[in-house]
Structures are given as C-alpha cells and as structure tokens.
Amino acid sequence: MSEITYQSTRGQEKGLTASQAILKGLAGDGGLFVPDHIPTLDKTLDELKNLSYQELAVTILKLFFTDYTDEELTECVNKAYDEKFDTPEIAPLAEADDRYFLELFHGKTIAFKDMALSILPHLMTTAAKKNGVTDTIVILTATSGDTGKAALAGFADVPGTKIMVFYPKDGVSPIQKLQMVTEKGRNTSVVGIEGNFDEAQTGVKKIFGDKKLNEELKEKGYRFSSANSINIGRLVPQIVYYAWGYLTLSKNGVIAKDETVNVCVPTGNFGNILAAFYAKQLGIPIAKLICASNRNKVLYDFFDSGTYDRNREFYLTSSPSMDILISSNLERLIYRITGEMAEATAKLMASLSGSGSYTITEEMKAGLSDFYGDFADENATAEEIREVFEKSGYVVDPHTAVASKVYRRYRDRTGDTKKTIIAATASPFKFTGSVLKALGKETGEDDFKMAADLSALSNVSVPKAVSELEGAEIRHKEICAISEMPDKVREFCR
Ligand SMILES: *Cc1c(COP(=O)(O)O)cnc(C)c1O
C-alpha cells in the first residue's frame, strides 16, 4: 500500500505524516493539510458490506492514515464507537417520505460532531506517542454552543489530555449551557466569559499565539492544541458514515449492485460535505453532492456565480450550526479545483481575508460539476419539518430540514429520482422549541416538558443526553472577563 503524506493547501509545508498533520491541526502558513492523493478502496463493495461500523472505519482510516498501524487504528476506533452511542449501528439509516436519513446523532451530544470528536482524542494521543511527544495535550476551545460539549465529551478522561472550554455566558441556549456545566470529566474545565462568541474566539487565538504563556506551560509539560473542524483527524472519520450509509442501502436490497445515489448535506463549515466528496473519490458510487445552506447562503451564491463573498448581512437562524459566513473547509475543495496549485489557492485565500471575496476561473468552475447548491430560508425550513412529519410521522431537526427541503426542490426541478441519502445532523430533541413551533404545537420555557411532548408526538423516547440533564449537578461555575482568560488557563495547568 502506498504511503500518503500531507501538505498545506498554501504550499509552505509538505511531506508530513498523518500523525504529524493531526498533531499540528493547522499548517504554519495558515493552510489546511490535505493528502498528497486521495486513495481508492482496496476492497469491493460486496466485501465491505459485511463489515461492522467499526471494521469499516478501520478499513477506511487506514487508507488515509498510513503511518498508523492496524492495531493503533483498531484501538482508536473501538474506544470511539462504543456504548457512548445509543445504537450498535452507530449511524442508522431511516427511510421517510421517499428519502433516506442517515442519522448522525446517536452519540453523546446527539449531533453529528460526535462522529468525529469521539475519535479525534484517540488519534491525537496516539499521534503524540508515535512522535515522541510526552507533554499533556491541552485542548482550548471557544464555543457558540455545540462544538464545546462535543469536544468535552470526546476528550473527557482521555489519558494524556486536558480540555478547557470558554463559552459566552449569555450567548448559548439553556440546554447547551446545562450540557457543558454538568460535564463530569476529571480533566475538563468550562468557563463562561463576559463577552460574545467572537471575543471568546479571539481570546483563545491570542492564547495560542502567546509565546510566553506557551513556554511557561511547556516547562510544566503541557502543549496546546485545537479540536476545530479543519483538523484532518476530524475530516477523515466523517468519510466512513457515507460509505456505511451506501452499504446499508445495498445490504437492505434498496439499491442494485453499483447503483449510484445522491447525497444531500446541511452545510456550514463545509467539512461534512467535503467528507462525502472524498467518499466519492474513494469509490463509493455517489452521483450528486447536494450542498444545502440556510438563509446565510454564501455557498449557494458561490456555486451559482463562482464568486465567494462574505460581505453580506449575517442572520441568526433556527439552524445555528450553519450560521457561518466563512466555510473554512472549502479551501480544500478550492485547492483541488485549482489542480492542486498551492500558489493559486493561497492567492484566493489572501483575497478572502483582504477584501472578503474571491472569484474562481471558468476552468475551476468546471471542477465543481459534482456539486449542486441551494438554500432554504426560515419559512421553508419550518414548512419542511411539517411536511415530512405529515407524510411519514418522522420528525427532523431544523438543520436536517434545510437539507430535506433543498432535496425536495432539487428533485422537483431536475426530475432526478435517484435514491438520496440526507445527512441528518442533529436530533430534533436538541431543538425542541423550533421543532414544536414548526409543527404548530405549544412551546414554553421548560425544555424537559417540551422534550416529553415531542416524544409523545414522534413516538421516539427522549434521548439520555437530554433526560440526564434534569437535576444533574452543576460542576463548573466559573465566569471571567476576557482579559482573565490566560490566568484561567494557568490555574487549570498548574
Ligand atoms: C456543525 C453542524 C453542521 C454543519 O456541518 P459543517 O461540517 O460545518 O458543514 C450542520 N448541522 C449540525 C447539527 C451541526 O452541528
């Protein structure tokens, strides 16, 4: 099997092993690490069909992470995809209203970030061992709600790591806050800050760049790292569930041998849909990649016009994890459609950080032919939650509804009736208020009562991730000013 090395999309770093790229996260030139080539499956789809989720994960990870041994990858996978998930299938497929929802919300925080963040800590600590790093890895994260808890759940009590999460004290939902402040992991710290998400984010970036603080902690045996979605160690595990979804359709006799399917993904940072694109390159028979945006439709405009322009109004929507104007992972696709030209990629990215926009060439545009972009606004999203429920009794969350709506329009417009997998990225129980409202039901202040109502309506029991919060002990009460963030880090890493 050929070795794969990793290089920056902006050209200044090359030849890293997978474990080195995972340890570093972001390249020194600000670029993202990409494999020097995308491997192809070394087994037939028929052979893959009989594997468990865990076995499939090892098979795929091993194609990309060639410097890890089979034993190492098996251990990482088995520690990640275990009883933390509430179903042995890990990512089950549900048919409703003539489409197939790939449920990526059966992990600890009932949203799809669990799929990658349950394995990243193990890939990282293994990478540290392989590269002779003995320092404790300290993950620092600023969160607007979802990623914080998923990262806490992933890193909790993983030997060799500590994790500290900063959240805007008045800027997350009551359930999100409860999820974080009740975190039990002994290596965790959760601090509310007096400021908004951007200020928390800037504060964390400052700490990463603070040479003095880094040296001070290095002497004590700590090194900082980040768990954000541009780490290649988060991207590759996301390829697995697209293969799994396809193979499930095949196992169930829904599709014939080698029949192609479409994939439709509710998109924010472009990580999840990029993983689907990689799955296609790998040899999974995927036809169209349908990229669904909410009212913040910067990606739709990009696919439509070839111009990416972040200079626009920012809207808060009912699908907050897609409220994004800069889709960082898009840089990996841009790199690919330049014909893997780092210089051209770096230029476009410089333009994005300068004027806030860039335009690709006609030739590059031709490289996007696998993609189809559209968006659903707030009314369309609520309408879709209602329509899917009325037709099938299945309840989707607002993020999934955006994708489902975009798919409905795609099918109506194009007449393409290929079977389609929709990435279902969050449980409706994470967004009970918006969901009940869309269904025309009563809502209120009491999240637990709303969860019970939704349970009765959908015939799905309230997930443990929600029910266990009721009456749980509050373990993290600290609040600090932005300027005090470095001191909080010092206290945590004594
Ligand atoms: C993060 C997230 C998304 C967006 O995924 P990207 O990889 O950022 O495109 C969609 N839905 C939910 C529920 C999420 O948490």
Side-chain angles (χ1 to χ4, degrees):
M1 197 168 57
S2 68
E3 272 308 306
I4 289 193
T5 62
Y6 287 81
Q7 59 208 41
S8 167
T9 47
R10 301 192 193 172
Q12 302 298 310
E13 282 186 68
K14 293 195 164 54
L16 280 79
T17 61
S19 64
Q20 287 166 341
I22 288 171
L23 267 184
K24 277 205 90 168
L26 190 69
D29 56 8
L32 275 56
F33 287 117
V34 282
D36 59 11
H37 66 278
I38 310 270
T40 47
L41 289 169
D42 55 2
K43 292 199 168 71
T44 65
L45 295 172
D46 268 338
E47 287 168 326
L48 295 176
K49 233 159 63 174
N50 302 315
L51 303 183
S52 66
Y53 191 91
Q54 292 79 0
E55 289 164 340
L56 181 67
V58 172
T59 305
I60 290 177
L61 294 187
K62 150 176 152 173
L63 297 172
F64 285 87
F65 299 157
T66 50
D67 70 319
Y68 286 70
T69 65
D70 285 10
E71 292 69 37
E72 285 168 340
L73 288 176
T74 304
E75 201 182 324
C76 290
V77 163
N78 289 343
K79 282 179 176 165
Y81 304 114
D82 60 6
E83 305 75 49
K84 286 194 287 299
F85 286 77
D86 67 10
T87 159
E89 283 186 274
I90 307 296
L93 199 63
E95 183 191 356
D97 192 13
D98 293 332
R99 58 204 69 192
Y100 297 86
F101 292 97
L102 181 61
E103 297 186 346
L104 306 176
F105 53 74
H106 288 273
K108 275 268 208 177
T109 75
I110 55 175
F112 104 96
K113 304 237 171 11
D114 292 329
M115 300 302 295
L117 281 165
S118 352
I119 191 164
L120 181 70
H122 305 293
L123 292 171
M124 258 189 189
T125 50
T126 307
K129 269 188 218 132
K130 297 175 78 64
N131 290 280
V133 172
T134 52
D135 302 334
T136 298
I137 295 170
V138 181
I139 301 292
L140 293 184
T141 309
T143 184
S144 54
D146 266 355
T147 308
K149 178 62 192 184
L152 283 166
F155 281 89
D157 296 322
V158 173
T161 72
K162 280 166 98 70
I163 173 163
M164 186 163 210
V165 172
F166 294 99
Y167 69 94
K169 84 175 174 49
D170 301 316
V172 300
S173 79
I175 286 270
Q176 285 174 329
K177 182 167 166 180
L178 253 185
Q179 280 190 317
M180 291 192 279
V181 298
T182 56
E183 171 58 51
K184 293 196 188 94
R186 287 181 302 272
N187 60 341
T188 63
S189 170
V190 179
V191 181
I193 59 131
E194 292 157 349
N196 61 26
F197 169 66
D198 279 337
E199 291 167 309
Q201 176 99 316
T202 308
V204 165
K205 281 193 184 148
K206 259 198 193 146
I207 294 172
F208 279 128
D210 183 337
K211 287 226 166 68
K212 197 168 146 268
L213 182 57
N214 275 269
E215 271 163 31
E216 198 182 310
L217 291 186
K218 176 100 189 111
E219 268 169 34
K220 295 183 178 160
Y222 295 106
R223 72 145 70 191
F224 291 133
S225 192
S226 123
N228 68 24
S229 80
I230 47 98
N231 195 310
I232 192 78
R234 269 182 72 172
L235 189 60
V236 172
Q238 295 181 178
I239 300 170
V240 177
Y241 47 73
Y242 288 109
W244 177 255
Y246 182 87
L247 295 166
T248 304
L249 285 177
S250 176
K251 265 184 289 202
N252 295 348
V254 175
I255 49 175
K257 190 169 158 52
D258 298 334
E259 184 175 334
T260 57
V261 303
N262 299 317
V263 167
C264 179
V265 185
T267 299
N269 229 339
F270 210 75
N272 203 3
I273 193 165
L274 187 70
F277 178 66
Y278 282 1
K280 176 171 178 158
Q281 310 290 313
L282 207 59
I284 302 299
I286 294 172
K288 279 282 172 212
L289 298 151
I290 303 169
C291 176
S293 303
N294 66 19
R295 194 180 175 199
N296 295 295
K297 59 182 183 60
V298 62
L299 284 166
Y300 162 71
D301 291 337
F302 169 68
F303 285 117
D304 188 47
S305 68
T307 295
Y308 192 98
D309 187 358
R310 65 163 297 197
N311 301 304
R312 59 178 69 214
E313 203 169 330
F314 174 75
Y315 302 106
L316 292 173
T317 72
S318 57
S319 46
S321 298
M322 297 159 70
D323 291 343
I324 280 173
L325 292 184
I326 297 195
S327 300
S328 342
N329 264 302
L330 186 64
E331 181 167 344
R332 289 187 164 111
L333 181 63
I334 297 293
Y335 175 75
R336 184 140 182 116
I337 61 174
T338 59
E340 316 217 321
M341 307 262 280
E343 210 173 312
T345 309
K347 251 195 200 143
L348 294 172
M349 294 306 130
S351 167
L352 180 63
S353 65
S355 68
S357 75
Y358 61 82
T359 301
I360 60 172
T361 63
E362 282 305 312
E363 209 182 349
M364 288 172 68
K365 238 181 137 176
L368 297 177
S369 60
D370 287 340
F371 289 87
Y372 176 93
D374 197 2
F375 71 101
D377 65 16
E378 289 294 273
N379 280 335
T381 305
E383 198 178 274
E384 183 68 14
I385 293 175
R386 207 159 48 238
E387 182 162 358
V388 172
F389 180 68
E390 277 166 8
K391 287 195 169 141
S392 67
Y394 186 73
V395 179
V396 293
D397 97 290
H399 301 77
T400 308
V402 166
S404 187
K405 183 69 174 190
V406 163
Y407 168 61
R408 190 180 300 283
R409 286 203 194 121
Y410 167 83
R411 200 178 50 183
D412 291 348
R413 269 179 211 160
T414 63
D416 177 2
T417 54
K418 269 197 188 68
K419 311 240 168 27
T420 297
I421 293 177
I422 294 179
T425 52
S427 158
F429 287 92
K430 206 157 183 175
F431 300 94
T432 39
S434 310
V435 170
L436 287 173
K437 194 165 155 233
L439 295 175
K441 307 293 172 194
E442 212 176 302
T443 60
E445 292 291 295
D446 183 347
D447 285 298
F448 298 106
K449 168 159 191 318
M450 286 196 288
D453 290 350
L454 184 58
S455 172
L457 205 64
S458 61
N459 250 325
V460 174
S461 49
V462 177
K464 202 165 139 244
V466 174
S467 59
E468 72 183 7
L469 291 176
E470 199 165 12
E473 184 197 350
I474 309 285
R475 305 173 62 97
H476 305 274
K477 296 177 183 159
E478 278 184 285
I479 302 288
C480 80
I482 303 281
S483 61
E484 293 167 331
M485 287 169 64
D487 289 332
K488 289 290 162 201
V489 173
R490 282 192 183 91
E491 273 171 39
F492 184 49
C493 301
R494 264 192 239 271

